[in-house]
Amino acid sequence: MRKKAETRNVPITSLENSVLELYGLDQNAVESLSSTNLGDLVIINVTLKPDYPPCPRCGHEHPNVCNYVDETITHSILHNCRCQINYHARRYKCPVCNRTWYEFNPFVFKKQRISVSTVVCVLEEMRDPAVTFTSVAKRYNLSRLRLFSTSSTIMSRSPKRRRFPRAAA
């Protein structure tokens, strides 16, 4: 008979706790959380507890965990050093229709590699007409191209602005 793996509750550091608070995650929703400091780079490894969502195609209630995929997310809200989140995302598979899908990722907008909080901070800073893409990219440890494409993607998803009606002459 196999013994059950023991899980230890490791004290969460202030950096890890701030990541949880930023994304509104409860400590009970996290399966594992650790951080590593490599000089000018802080790496946070996160695995969430499984929630087993129903199949989006057929609605089957009990999917299987197919595998794990590591997603690297730029989380540059710390100005003095680079920070990255290594999110170990589950990939589910429906035993009925064989559809596969990822679990919900609370750290990024859909199809992005920059954290939500970093995007919000960048967009707030870009409102100032005196700042440039280069200065903001340097401050948040991003390339100018990634900053431009991310801000363009986010802005294109926002509601369209209404145009003023033309005045009758």
Side-chain angles (χ1 to χ4, degrees):
M1 189 162 104
R2 274 176 80 183
K3 281 188 175 181
K4 228 179 177 183
E6 291 182 7
T7 56
R8 295 181 304 154
N9 287 337
V10 179
I12 295 178
T13 65
S14 61
L15 176 63
E16 294 164 347
N17 194 29
S18 66
V19 169
L20 291 178
E21 287 178 11
L22 274 173
Y23 295 103
L25 295 174
D26 185 22
Q27 287 184 1
N28 298 329
V30 176
E31 186 173 289
S32 69
L33 180 69
S34 65
S35 63
T36 307
N37 190 348
L38 302 174
D40 68 334
L41 175 65
V42 176
I43 299 173
I44 300 171
N45 297 303
V46 180
T47 304
L48 299 178
K49 288 186 177 174
D51 59 351
Y52 299 105
C55 176
R57 182 182 293 157
C58 69
H60 183 68
E61 293 288 324
H62 304 288
N64 300 325
V65 175
C66 180
N67 61 355
Y68 288 83
V69 177
D70 291 335
E71 295 183 15
T72 302
I73 300 164
T74 303
H75 182 67
S76 296
I77 59 169
L78 306 172
H79 294 297
N80 57 349
C81 67
R82 295 182 307 144
C83 184
Q84 126 186 351
I85 299 174
N86 288 343
Y87 173 53
H88 309 290
R90 282 180 190 79
R91 195 163 154 84
Y92 294 106
K93 184 174 184 178
C94 178
V96 175
C97 67
N98 290 327
R99 165 92 191 257
T100 58
W101 70 95
Y102 288 99
E103 71 181 340
F104 173 72
N105 185 344
F107 303 107
V108 295
F109 291 119
K110 193 171 187 174
K111 297 184 179 180
Q112 293 291 318
R113 298 255 182 239
I114 301 174
S115 70
V116 172
S117 56
T118 303
V119 170
V120 169
C121 291
V122 163
L123 291 177
E124 278 295 315
E125 248 184 82
M126 291 303 294
R127 293 176 76 189
D128 183 8
V131 299
T132 63
F133 274 100
T134 304
S135 64
V136 173
K138 187 175 182 181
R139 192 171 303 116
Y140 287 97
N141 301 304
L142 302 168
S143 69
R144 288 179 300 166
L145 181 61
R146 177 176 265 187
L147 176 67
F148 182 74
S149 64
T150 301
S151 60
S152 297
T153 303
I154 299 300
M155 296 306 287
S156 68
R157 291 180 188 166
S158 64
K160 301 285 184 202
R161 293 184 183 185
R162 289 185 168 197
R163 293 183 182 247
F164 288 112
R166 291 187 179 201

Short mmCIF file of all heavy atoms in Angstrom, two decimals, residues 19 23-25 44 46-49 51 53 69-75 85-92 101-117 157:
data_model
loop_
_atom_site.label_atom_id
_atom_site.label_comp_id
_atom_site.label_asym_id
_atom_site.label_seq_id
_atom_site.Cartn_x
_atom_site.Cartn_y
_atom_site.Cartn_z
N VAL A 19 2.12 38.92 -3.99
CA VAL A 19 1.64 38.40 -5.27
C VAL A 19 0.24 37.83 -5.10
O VAL A 19 -0.65 38.06 -5.92
CB VAL A 19 2.61 37.33 -5.83
CG1 VAL A 19 1.99 36.60 -7.01
CG2 VAL A 19 3.92 37.97 -6.24
N TYR A 23 -3.46 39.53 -6.87
CA TYR A 23 -4.36 38.81 -7.76
C TYR A 23 -5.59 38.28 -7.05
O TYR A 23 -6.36 37.54 -7.64
CB TYR A 23 -3.60 37.68 -8.45
CG TYR A 23 -2.54 38.24 -9.35
CD1 TYR A 23 -1.21 38.22 -8.97
CD2 TYR A 23 -2.87 38.85 -10.54
CE1 TYR A 23 -0.23 38.77 -9.78
CE2 TYR A 23 -1.91 39.41 -11.35
CZ TYR A 23 -0.59 39.37 -10.96
OH TYR A 23 0.36 39.93 -11.75
N GLY A 24 -5.80 38.67 -5.80
CA GLY A 24 -6.99 38.27 -5.08
C GLY A 24 -7.07 36.78 -4.82
O GLY A 24 -8.16 36.22 -4.76
N LEU A 25 -5.92 36.14 -4.68
CA LEU A 25 -5.89 34.69 -4.44
C LEU A 25 -5.80 34.41 -2.95
O LEU A 25 -5.07 35.08 -2.22
CB LEU A 25 -4.69 34.05 -5.14
CG LEU A 25 -4.68 34.11 -6.65
CD1 LEU A 25 -3.37 33.56 -7.18
CD2 LEU A 25 -5.83 33.31 -7.22
N ILE A 44 9.17 33.59 -9.07
CA ILE A 44 8.11 33.07 -8.20
C ILE A 44 7.47 31.89 -8.92
O ILE A 44 6.97 32.04 -10.03
CB ILE A 44 7.07 34.16 -7.89
CG1 ILE A 44 7.74 35.33 -7.19
CG2 ILE A 44 5.94 33.60 -7.05
CD1 ILE A 44 6.86 36.54 -7.02
N VAL A 46 4.52 29.14 -9.03
CA VAL A 46 3.16 29.01 -8.51
C VAL A 46 2.45 27.83 -9.18
O VAL A 46 2.52 27.68 -10.40
CB VAL A 46 2.33 30.29 -8.79
CG1 VAL A 46 0.92 30.15 -8.26
CG2 VAL A 46 2.98 31.50 -8.21
N THR A 47 1.78 27.02 -8.37
CA THR A 47 0.85 26.02 -8.86
C THR A 47 -0.43 26.17 -8.06
O THR A 47 -0.39 26.16 -6.82
CB THR A 47 1.40 24.59 -8.67
OG1 THR A 47 2.67 24.49 -9.31
CG2 THR A 47 0.45 23.56 -9.26
N LEU A 48 -1.55 26.36 -8.74
CA LEU A 48 -2.84 26.49 -8.06
C LEU A 48 -3.44 25.12 -7.82
O LEU A 48 -3.13 24.16 -8.51
CB LEU A 48 -3.79 27.34 -8.90
CG LEU A 48 -3.34 28.77 -9.19
CD1 LEU A 48 -4.34 29.47 -10.08
CD2 LEU A 48 -3.13 29.55 -7.91
N LYS A 49 -4.33 25.05 -6.84
CA LYS A 49 -5.03 23.79 -6.59
C LYS A 49 -6.01 23.54 -7.73
O LYS A 49 -6.59 24.48 -8.28
CB LYS A 49 -5.78 23.85 -5.26
CG LYS A 49 -4.85 23.79 -4.07
CD LYS A 49 -5.61 23.69 -2.79
CE LYS A 49 -4.63 23.57 -1.63
NZ LYS A 49 -5.30 23.61 -0.35
N ASP A 51 -9.30 22.82 -9.84
CA ASP A 51 -10.73 23.07 -9.60
C ASP A 51 -11.61 22.19 -10.49
O ASP A 51 -12.82 22.17 -10.32
CB ASP A 51 -11.07 24.55 -9.81
CG ASP A 51 -10.74 25.04 -11.21
OD1 ASP A 51 -10.10 24.29 -11.97
OD2 ASP A 51 -11.12 26.17 -11.53
N PRO A 53 -12.80 22.15 -13.81
CA PRO A 53 -13.97 22.77 -14.45
C PRO A 53 -14.62 21.80 -15.44
O PRO A 53 -13.96 20.91 -15.97
CB PRO A 53 -13.36 23.96 -15.19
CG PRO A 53 -11.95 23.54 -15.45
CD PRO A 53 -11.55 22.68 -14.29
N VAL A 69 1.81 22.59 -18.03
CA VAL A 69 2.56 23.44 -18.94
C VAL A 69 3.09 24.62 -18.13
O VAL A 69 2.34 25.25 -17.38
CB VAL A 69 1.66 23.94 -20.09
CG1 VAL A 69 2.41 24.89 -21.00
CG2 VAL A 69 1.12 22.77 -20.88
N ASP A 70 4.38 24.89 -18.26
CA ASP A 70 4.98 26.02 -17.56
C ASP A 70 4.83 27.29 -18.39
O ASP A 70 5.23 27.32 -19.55
CB ASP A 70 6.47 25.77 -17.29
CG ASP A 70 6.69 24.68 -16.27
OD1 ASP A 70 5.78 24.45 -15.44
OD2 ASP A 70 7.76 24.05 -16.29
N GLU A 71 4.23 28.31 -17.78
CA GLU A 71 4.07 29.60 -18.44
C GLU A 71 4.94 30.61 -17.71
O GLU A 71 4.85 30.74 -16.48
CB GLU A 71 2.62 30.05 -18.41
CG GLU A 71 1.70 29.16 -19.21
CD GLU A 71 0.27 29.67 -19.23
OE1 GLU A 71 0.03 30.84 -18.87
OE2 GLU A 71 -0.61 28.88 -19.60
N THR A 72 5.78 31.32 -18.45
CA THR A 72 6.64 32.35 -17.87
C THR A 72 5.97 33.69 -18.08
O THR A 72 5.69 34.09 -19.21
CB THR A 72 8.02 32.33 -18.55
OG1 THR A 72 8.59 31.03 -18.37
CG2 THR A 72 8.94 33.36 -17.92
N ILE A 73 5.73 34.40 -16.98
CA ILE A 73 4.99 35.66 -17.01
C ILE A 73 5.88 36.77 -16.46
O ILE A 73 6.47 36.62 -15.38
CB ILE A 73 3.71 35.55 -16.14
CG1 ILE A 73 2.82 34.43 -16.68
CG2 ILE A 73 2.97 36.87 -16.10
CD1 ILE A 73 1.76 33.98 -15.73
N THR A 74 6.01 37.85 -17.21
CA THR A 74 6.78 39.00 -16.75
C THR A 74 5.93 39.78 -15.76
O THR A 74 4.83 40.21 -16.07
CB THR A 74 7.16 39.91 -17.94
OG1 THR A 74 7.88 39.12 -18.88
CG2 THR A 74 8.00 41.08 -17.49
N HIS A 75 6.45 39.93 -14.55
CA HIS A 75 5.73 40.60 -13.46
C HIS A 75 6.64 41.69 -12.93
O HIS A 75 7.30 41.53 -11.91
CB HIS A 75 5.37 39.59 -12.39
CG HIS A 75 4.60 40.15 -11.25
ND1 HIS A 75 3.32 40.62 -11.39
CD2 HIS A 75 4.92 40.32 -9.95
CE1 HIS A 75 2.88 41.05 -10.22
NE2 HIS A 75 3.84 40.88 -9.34
N ILE A 85 7.03 35.31 -12.97
CA ILE A 85 6.20 34.27 -12.37
C ILE A 85 6.26 33.05 -13.28
O ILE A 85 5.97 33.15 -14.47
CB ILE A 85 4.74 34.74 -12.22
CG1 ILE A 85 4.65 35.94 -11.30
CG2 ILE A 85 3.86 33.61 -11.71
CD1 ILE A 85 3.27 36.56 -11.23
N ASN A 86 6.66 31.92 -12.72
CA ASN A 86 6.58 30.65 -13.44
C ASN A 86 5.32 29.95 -12.96
O ASN A 86 5.28 29.43 -11.85
CB ASN A 86 7.82 29.78 -13.17
CG ASN A 86 9.05 30.31 -13.84
OD1 ASN A 86 8.97 31.12 -14.75
ND2 ASN A 86 10.20 29.87 -13.39
N TYR A 87 4.32 29.99 -13.81
CA TYR A 87 3.01 29.44 -13.46
C TYR A 87 2.88 28.05 -14.06
O TYR A 87 2.98 27.89 -15.27
CB TYR A 87 1.92 30.38 -13.97
CG TYR A 87 0.52 29.86 -13.84
CD1 TYR A 87 0.03 29.41 -12.62
CD2 TYR A 87 -0.33 29.82 -14.93
CE1 TYR A 87 -1.26 28.94 -12.51
CE2 TYR A 87 -1.61 29.36 -14.83
CZ TYR A 87 -2.07 28.93 -13.61
OH TYR A 87 -3.35 28.45 -13.50
N HIS A 88 2.69 27.05 -13.23
CA HIS A 88 2.54 25.67 -13.68
C HIS A 88 1.05 25.42 -13.92
O HIS A 88 0.31 25.09 -13.00
CB HIS A 88 3.12 24.70 -12.65
CG HIS A 88 4.51 25.06 -12.24
ND1 HIS A 88 5.59 24.92 -13.08
CD2 HIS A 88 5.01 25.57 -11.09
CE1 HIS A 88 6.68 25.32 -12.46
NE2 HIS A 88 6.35 25.72 -11.26
N ALA A 89 0.63 25.59 -15.18
CA ALA A 89 -0.78 25.50 -15.54
C ALA A 89 -1.16 24.06 -15.87
O ALA A 89 -0.42 23.36 -16.55
CB ALA A 89 -1.07 26.39 -16.74
N ARG A 90 -2.31 23.65 -15.39
CA ARG A 90 -2.83 22.33 -15.73
C ARG A 90 -3.52 22.37 -17.07
O ARG A 90 -4.14 23.35 -17.45
CB ARG A 90 -3.85 21.88 -14.69
CG ARG A 90 -3.24 21.39 -13.43
CD ARG A 90 -4.33 20.96 -12.45
NE ARG A 90 -3.71 20.72 -11.18
CZ ARG A 90 -3.37 21.65 -10.32
NH1 ARG A 90 -3.60 22.91 -10.60
NH2 ARG A 90 -2.78 21.34 -9.19
N ARG A 91 -3.43 21.26 -17.76
CA ARG A 91 -4.15 21.08 -19.01
C ARG A 91 -5.10 19.91 -18.78
O ARG A 91 -4.68 18.82 -18.42
CB ARG A 91 -3.16 20.76 -20.12
CG ARG A 91 -3.69 20.90 -21.48
CD ARG A 91 -2.51 20.98 -22.44
NE ARG A 91 -2.88 20.53 -23.74
CZ ARG A 91 -3.48 21.30 -24.65
NH1 ARG A 91 -3.72 22.55 -24.35
NH2 ARG A 91 -3.81 20.83 -25.82
N TYR A 92 -6.39 20.18 -18.94
CA TYR A 92 -7.40 19.16 -18.70
C TYR A 92 -7.79 18.48 -20.00
O TYR A 92 -7.68 19.06 -21.08
CB TYR A 92 -8.66 19.80 -18.09
CG TYR A 92 -8.44 20.36 -16.71
CD1 TYR A 92 -8.35 21.73 -16.49
CD2 TYR A 92 -8.34 19.51 -15.62
CE1 TYR A 92 -8.17 22.24 -15.22
CE2 TYR A 92 -8.16 20.02 -14.34
CZ TYR A 92 -8.07 21.37 -14.16
OH TYR A 92 -7.88 21.88 -12.90
N TRP A 101 -8.13 21.59 -22.65
CA TRP A 101 -8.16 23.03 -22.35
C TRP A 101 -7.32 23.29 -21.12
O TRP A 101 -7.02 22.40 -20.33
CB TRP A 101 -9.60 23.52 -22.15
CG TRP A 101 -10.28 23.04 -20.91
CD1 TRP A 101 -10.36 23.69 -19.71
CD2 TRP A 101 -10.97 21.80 -20.72
NE1 TRP A 101 -11.06 22.93 -18.81
CE2 TRP A 101 -11.44 21.76 -19.41
CE3 TRP A 101 -11.24 20.71 -21.55
CZ2 TRP A 101 -12.16 20.70 -18.89
CZ3 TRP A 101 -11.96 19.65 -21.04
CH2 TRP A 101 -12.41 19.65 -19.74
N TYR A 102 -6.90 24.56 -20.97
CA TYR A 102 -6.09 24.99 -19.84
C TYR A 102 -6.99 25.46 -18.71
O TYR A 102 -8.10 25.94 -18.94
CB TYR A 102 -5.17 26.15 -20.23
CG TYR A 102 -4.04 25.76 -21.12
CD1 TYR A 102 -4.10 25.97 -22.49
CD2 TYR A 102 -2.89 25.19 -20.60
CE1 TYR A 102 -3.05 25.61 -23.32
CE2 TYR A 102 -1.84 24.83 -21.42
CZ TYR A 102 -1.93 25.04 -22.77
OH TYR A 102 -0.89 24.68 -23.58
N GLU A 103 -6.45 25.40 -17.49
CA GLU A 103 -7.17 25.98 -16.37
C GLU A 103 -7.10 27.50 -16.47
O GLU A 103 -6.24 28.05 -17.16
CB GLU A 103 -6.60 25.49 -15.04
CG GLU A 103 -5.24 26.01 -14.69
CD GLU A 103 -4.71 25.46 -13.37
OE1 GLU A 103 -5.51 24.98 -12.55
OE2 GLU A 103 -3.50 25.52 -13.17
N PHE A 104 -7.98 28.19 -15.77
CA PHE A 104 -8.03 29.65 -15.79
C PHE A 104 -6.74 30.20 -15.20
O PHE A 104 -6.29 29.78 -14.15
CB PHE A 104 -9.24 30.15 -15.00
CG PHE A 104 -9.25 31.64 -14.83
CD1 PHE A 104 -9.53 32.46 -15.92
CD2 PHE A 104 -8.97 32.21 -13.61
CE1 PHE A 104 -9.53 33.83 -15.77
CE2 PHE A 104 -8.98 33.59 -13.45
CZ PHE A 104 -9.26 34.39 -14.54
N ASN A 105 -6.14 31.16 -15.89
CA ASN A 105 -4.90 31.80 -15.43
C ASN A 105 -5.24 33.18 -14.88
O ASN A 105 -5.55 34.10 -15.63
CB ASN A 105 -3.92 31.93 -16.60
CG ASN A 105 -2.58 32.46 -16.18
OD1 ASN A 105 -2.42 33.02 -15.11
ND2 ASN A 105 -1.59 32.30 -17.04
N PRO A 106 -5.18 33.36 -13.54
CA PRO A 106 -5.55 34.64 -12.95
C PRO A 106 -4.48 35.72 -13.07
O PRO A 106 -4.72 36.87 -12.73
CB PRO A 106 -5.78 34.29 -11.48
CG PRO A 106 -4.86 33.15 -11.24
CD PRO A 106 -4.84 32.37 -12.52
N PHE A 107 -3.31 35.37 -13.59
CA PHE A 107 -2.18 36.30 -13.59
C PHE A 107 -2.09 37.16 -14.85
O PHE A 107 -1.46 38.21 -14.82
CB PHE A 107 -0.86 35.54 -13.43
CG PHE A 107 -0.82 34.71 -12.18
CD1 PHE A 107 -0.91 33.34 -12.25
CD2 PHE A 107 -0.72 35.30 -10.94
CE1 PHE A 107 -0.87 32.57 -11.11
CE2 PHE A 107 -0.70 34.54 -9.79
CZ PHE A 107 -0.77 33.18 -9.87
N VAL A 108 -2.68 36.73 -15.96
CA VAL A 108 -2.53 37.46 -17.23
C VAL A 108 -3.88 37.61 -17.92
O VAL A 108 -4.82 36.88 -17.64
CB VAL A 108 -1.56 36.73 -18.20
CG1 VAL A 108 -0.17 36.70 -17.66
CG2 VAL A 108 -2.04 35.35 -18.53
N PHE A 109 -3.93 38.58 -18.84
CA PHE A 109 -5.06 38.66 -19.75
C PHE A 109 -4.90 37.53 -20.76
O PHE A 109 -3.80 36.99 -20.93
CB PHE A 109 -5.08 40.00 -20.48
CG PHE A 109 -5.43 41.18 -19.60
CD1 PHE A 109 -4.54 42.21 -19.42
CD2 PHE A 109 -6.65 41.23 -18.97
CE1 PHE A 109 -4.85 43.29 -18.62
CE2 PHE A 109 -6.99 42.30 -18.16
CZ PHE A 109 -6.08 43.34 -17.99
N LYS A 110 -5.94 37.18 -21.44
CA LYS A 110 -5.91 36.06 -22.38
C LYS A 110 -4.83 36.27 -23.45
O LYS A 110 -4.72 37.34 -24.03
CB LYS A 110 -7.28 35.91 -23.02
CG LYS A 110 -7.45 34.61 -23.76
CD LYS A 110 -8.88 34.42 -24.19
CE LYS A 110 -9.04 33.04 -24.78
NZ LYS A 110 -10.41 32.75 -25.08
N LYS A 111 -4.03 35.23 -23.67
CA LYS A 111 -2.97 35.19 -24.67
C LYS A 111 -1.90 36.25 -24.45
O LYS A 111 -1.31 36.76 -25.41
CB LYS A 111 -3.55 35.31 -26.08
CG LYS A 111 -4.45 34.17 -26.45
CD LYS A 111 -4.92 34.28 -27.86
CE LYS A 111 -5.82 33.10 -28.20
NZ LYS A 111 -6.30 33.15 -29.56
N GLN A 112 -1.61 36.61 -23.22
CA GLN A 112 -0.56 37.58 -22.90
C GLN A 112 0.52 36.91 -22.06
O GLN A 112 0.29 35.88 -21.44
CB GLN A 112 -1.15 38.77 -22.12
CG GLN A 112 -2.09 39.60 -22.92
CD GLN A 112 -1.39 40.38 -24.02
OE1 GLN A 112 -0.33 40.93 -23.82
NE2 GLN A 112 -1.99 40.39 -25.19
N ARG A 113 1.70 37.51 -22.02
CA ARG A 113 2.81 37.01 -21.22
C ARG A 113 3.27 38.02 -20.18
O ARG A 113 4.29 37.85 -19.54
CB ARG A 113 3.99 36.67 -22.13
CG ARG A 113 3.70 35.59 -23.12
CD ARG A 113 4.35 34.31 -22.68
NE ARG A 113 4.11 33.26 -23.66
CZ ARG A 113 3.50 32.15 -23.37
NH1 ARG A 113 3.04 31.95 -22.17
NH2 ARG A 113 3.33 31.22 -24.27
N ILE A 114 2.51 39.11 -20.05
CA ILE A 114 2.81 40.14 -19.06
C ILE A 114 1.68 40.15 -18.05
O ILE A 114 0.51 40.09 -18.42
CB ILE A 114 2.95 41.52 -19.73
CG1 ILE A 114 4.08 41.48 -20.77
CG2 ILE A 114 3.23 42.60 -18.71
CD1 ILE A 114 4.20 42.74 -21.58
N SER A 115 2.01 40.23 -16.77
CA SER A 115 0.99 40.13 -15.73
C SER A 115 -0.01 41.29 -15.80
O SER A 115 0.30 42.38 -16.31
CB SER A 115 1.64 40.09 -14.35
OG SER A 115 2.21 41.33 -14.03
N VAL A 116 -1.18 41.05 -15.27
CA VAL A 116 -2.25 42.05 -15.28
C VAL A 116 -1.82 43.31 -14.54
O VAL A 116 -2.03 44.43 -15.04
CB VAL A 116 -3.54 41.46 -14.63
CG1 VAL A 116 -4.58 42.53 -14.44
CG2 VAL A 116 -4.08 40.32 -15.46
N SER A 117 -1.18 43.15 -13.39
CA SER A 117 -0.77 44.32 -12.61
C SER A 117 0.30 45.12 -13.35
O SER A 117 0.30 46.35 -13.29
CB SER A 117 -0.28 43.92 -11.23
OG SER A 117 0.75 42.99 -11.34
N ARG A 157 -8.98 46.06 -27.45
CA ARG A 157 -10.07 45.32 -26.82
C ARG A 157 -11.00 46.23 -26.03
O ARG A 157 -12.08 45.82 -25.64
CB ARG A 157 -9.53 44.25 -25.88
CG ARG A 157 -8.83 43.15 -26.60
CD ARG A 157 -8.33 42.13 -25.62
NE ARG A 157 -7.50 41.15 -26.29
CZ ARG A 157 -6.73 40.30 -25.67
NH1 ARG A 157 -6.65 40.29 -24.37
NH2 ARG A 157 -6.00 39.45 -26.35
#
